[in-house]
Structures are given as structure tokens and as C-alpha cells.
Amino acid sequence: MRKTRDGLLMEIAHLMAQRSTCQRLKVGCVITHDHRIISSGYNGVTETQDSLSECGCNPDIPCQFAIHAEANAIAFAARMGIKLGNCSIWLTHSPCKSCADLIIQSGISWLYYAELYRVDWTEYLENNGVRARQISH
């Protein structure tokens, strides 16, 4: 049976999460334009740190060291000169407030996520022009 595009892209976001260096929560992200992947990311240490090192965070409290998956994907696109207007972002977990702001400011139009993470910022995203939808993995 052929996978749906939504299912495939969410599965790829989950695969990206496997690269995470965070002990507490592994988050993956892909950004698409017309269903083609143009950027991806996962949460973890900065690119200049050892790629195999862990964040060094305490798994029992929010991490202070990891860069979030969506921030990494948006930063990569910016560094490569890739415009994100009218793009879609696929996340294993819904964004925090700071990442919701980054998504809004980047021009991304659609957000798809598999699991709700703490506070639900989807109404905030919707009020700022980003359509958000939870889809199962």
C-alpha cells in the first residue's frame, strides 16, 4: 500500500529525530515546498560541537543546551538562502512559543505535528497566519 505524502513526511521527521543528541526528548523536523523537502533539522548541540556529543542536559528538566529542531531547519534554510514563504513544516512535536515565533516570522504557511508538546500554541499560530494540524504517525 502506497504511503500518503502526509504519512511519508511525518515518518521522515521521525527519522530526523533519531539524530537528536538530546537525552530528554528527540524532536525531528522537515520543511517542504510543494511536498519536496528543502530543509531538515533535529534538536541537539551546535554544529561546531562534536556531532556525537550529547547536550549534557538533565533528562528530568527542560534542556538549556539543545537548539530546537525547527530552529535548526529554519537556520539552515536561511544560511543557504532558501526562502520559506508558503512552505510547510513537519514536526514530531508541536513547537514551543519561541519556535512558533520563528515559524511565523519565516513565512511558513502550514504546520503539521504528531504529538502535542506541553503548551498548545496552535491557536497562536493560526491567529498569525500559520495553519496548524495534528496528524498521527
Side-chain angles (χ1 to χ4, degrees):
M1 187 166 152
R2 187 175 185 197
K3 286 188 180 290
T4 65
R5 287 183 184 192
D6 288 355
L8 178 65
L9 292 168
M10 189 56 71
E11 188 172 324
I12 294 169
H14 278 87
L15 284 171
M16 291 304 300
Q18 293 178 19
R19 291 278 304 147
S20 172
T21 58
C22 187
Q23 295 271 337
R24 192 170 159 277
L25 181 66
K26 298 190 178 299
V27 180
C29 168
V30 293
I31 300 174
T32 63
H33 186 267
D34 291 334
H35 296 102
R36 305 274 184 189
I37 297 171
I38 60 172
S39 188
S40 61
Y42 51 88
N43 60 325
V45 295
T46 63
E47 198 172 277
T48 57
Q49 293 175 289
D50 179 5
S51 63
L52 296 178
S53 68
E54 294 175 346
C55 297
C57 60
N58 178 341
D60 299 324
I61 60 173
C63 183
Q64 300 297 310
F65 304 105
I67 299 168
H68 293 187
E70 49 273 65
N72 272 323
I74 291 169
F76 175 80
R79 193 169 64 215
M80 296 295 115
I82 301 169
K83 295 179 183 180
L84 299 180
N86 298 316
C87 287
S88 299
I89 190 166
W90 305 80
L91 295 164
T92 57
H93 297 78
S94 63
C96 68
K97 169 65 166 62
S98 295
C99 288
D101 287 336
L102 285 174
I103 290 165
I104 292 163
Q105 290 297 96
S106 71
I108 290 172
S109 298
W110 286 89
L111 178 135
Y112 302 92
Y113 65 96
E115 295 179 46
L116 183 64
Y117 176 68
R118 286 198 210 161
V119 178
D120 185 355
W121 292 104
T122 55
E123 184 177 344
Y124 175 73
L125 286 157
E126 294 267 353
N127 290 338
N128 284 280
V130 179
R131 291 182 236 161
R133 186 173 72 146
Q134 184 173 14
I135 60 173
S136 61
H137 172 252

